[in-house]
């Protein structure tokens, strides 16, 4: 019998199924079906990627010595086992739905004292955003190499772009984000203390800068550049974004 602590969650499989249903609908000639398909692709695919992001952290920690992630259910890909399902899934989905930046999901709790080395600690932090990057590259490769209906290509391209944005955002060395978690084990005690104090508010300041200052233009310029490097189709991405945001 498969251990329930490692069996894939039916809820995660439901998210995958919803994304797959969106892929089917996006191939229809009917504009309403196609729009509904793109919405399902983006929301279902984004929720699925949030689960995979956290799974990346957890499975790397498990291999690095933290066996507690199995008992906590993190290896099941079930978002209900995250620290806060609202912050992990609902809020990021809401931000994507209203056309905002794709917020990182809620973190899994890692027992850092159980990890064998500082390199493993860094790898645990990097595993999440790298998962997003791999997903983005895979999606762009599928769109580029597999003939498909325009609606399907547009939805998958926009989802791929969101993965690239998530990677760029999460890799920043800001307390509270994964990029900082990767360098934190190598910092001095004083620097780590400052990071702990800044962790609750630093991401909020970053998001405000992205949304309301020229920092946002720079952030998206880097994201578009990386998207182009990995082979993203900007024209299809814009079509997917406009179709997804059909009410605007």
């Amino acid at each position: 019998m498969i251990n329930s602590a490692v069996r894939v969650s039916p809820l995660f499989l439901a998210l995958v199924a919803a994304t797959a249903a969106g892929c089917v609908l996006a191939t229809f000639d009917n504009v309403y079906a196609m729009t509904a398909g793109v919405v399902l692709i983006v929301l279902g695919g984004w929720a699925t990627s949030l689960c995979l992001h956290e799974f990346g952290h957890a499975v790397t920690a498990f291999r690095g010595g933290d066996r507690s992630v199995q008992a906590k259910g993190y290896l099941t890909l079930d978002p209900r086992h995250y620290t806060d399902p609202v912050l992990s899934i609902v809020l990021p989905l809401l931000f994507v739905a209203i056309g905002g930046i794709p917020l990182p999901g809620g973190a899994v709790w890692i027992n850092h004292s159980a990890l064998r080395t500082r390199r493993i600690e860094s790898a645990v932090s990097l595993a999440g955003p790298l998962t997003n990057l791999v997903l983005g590259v895979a999606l762009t490769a599928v769109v580029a190499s597999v003939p498909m209906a325009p609606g399907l290509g547009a939805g998958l391209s926009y989802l791929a772009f969101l993965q690239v944005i998530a990677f760029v955002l999460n890799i920043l060395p800001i307390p509270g984000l994964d990029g900082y978690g990767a360098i934190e084990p190598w910092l001095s005690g004083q620097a780590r203390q400052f990071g702990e104090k800044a962790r609750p508010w630093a991401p909020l300041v970053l998001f405000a800068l992205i949304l309301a200052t020229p920092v946002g233009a720079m952030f998206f310029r880097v994201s578009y550049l990386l998207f182009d490097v990995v082979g993203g189709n900007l024209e299809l991405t814009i079509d997917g974004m406009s179709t997804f945001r059909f009410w605007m």
Side-chain angles (χ1 to χ4, degrees):
M1 182 176 65
I2 300 176
N3 191 313
S4 61
V6 297
R7 185 175 55 225
V8 176
S9 163
L11 181 56
F12 174 77
L13 296 177
L15 293 174
V16 175
T19 308
C23 290
V24 174
L25 287 173
T27 65
F28 288 15
D29 290 333
N30 182 285
V31 64
Y32 298 107
M34 187 268 290
T35 300
V38 170
V39 171
L40 272 177
I41 288 172
V42 175
L43 293 183
W46 179 241
T48 299
S49 72
L50 289 171
C51 295
L52 291 171
H53 176 108
E54 301 303 337
F55 177 80
H57 289 309
V59 73
T60 306
F62 180 80
R63 292 175 176 174
D66 181 10
R67 296 294 188 251
S68 69
V69 296
Q70 180 176 350
K72 293 172 183 174
Y74 294 158
L75 301 182
T76 66
L77 292 161
D78 191 332
R80 294 173 297 181
H81 291 300
Y82 298 159
T83 53
D84 189 331
V86 174
L87 294 178
S88 299
I89 297 294
V90 177
L91 190 59
L93 281 177
L94 179 61
F95 263 70
V96 168
I98 64 177
I101 58 176
L103 295 176
V108 295
W109 288 107
I110 303 298
N111 179 11
H112 288 271
S113 62
L115 300 178
R116 291 189 288 270
T117 67
R118 288 186 295 179
R119 289 182 182 274
I120 292 175
E121 288 190 72
S122 296
V124 169
S125 293
L126 292 174
L130 287 176
T131 298
N132 292 114
L133 182 59
V134 169
L135 288 172
V137 171
L139 288 169
T140 58
V142 169
V143 172
S145 60
V146 179
M148 62 181 64
L152 178 57
L156 292 177
S157 292
Y158 184 45
L159 178 60
F161 183 56
L162 291 177
Q163 302 303 321
V164 172
I165 295 178
F167 169 77
V168 174
L169 179 65
N170 276 283
I171 207 67
L172 294 174
I174 306 296
L177 299 180
D178 292 326
Y180 177 79
I183 65 173
E184 186 179 23
W186 309 91
L187 298 177
S188 66
Q190 184 176 4
R192 296 178 71 169
Q193 287 179 1
F194 174 79
E196 281 298 318
K197 293 178 181 178
R199 192 183 302 274
W201 53 263
L204 299 177
V205 172
L206 174 64
F207 298 147
L209 291 173
I210 291 175
L211 294 173
T213 75
V215 171
M218 183 184 305
F219 171 80
F220 283 103
R221 191 176 300 117
V222 172
S223 298
Y224 279 118
L225 177 61
L226 180 58
F227 188 59
D228 183 63
V229 168
V230 301
N233 187 316
L234 185 57
E235 183 177 351
L236 279 176
T237 299
I238 293 173
D239 288 344
M241 180 170 59
S242 61
T243 302
F244 174 72
R245 301 164 68 179
F246 62 90
W247 62 90
M248 301 183 71

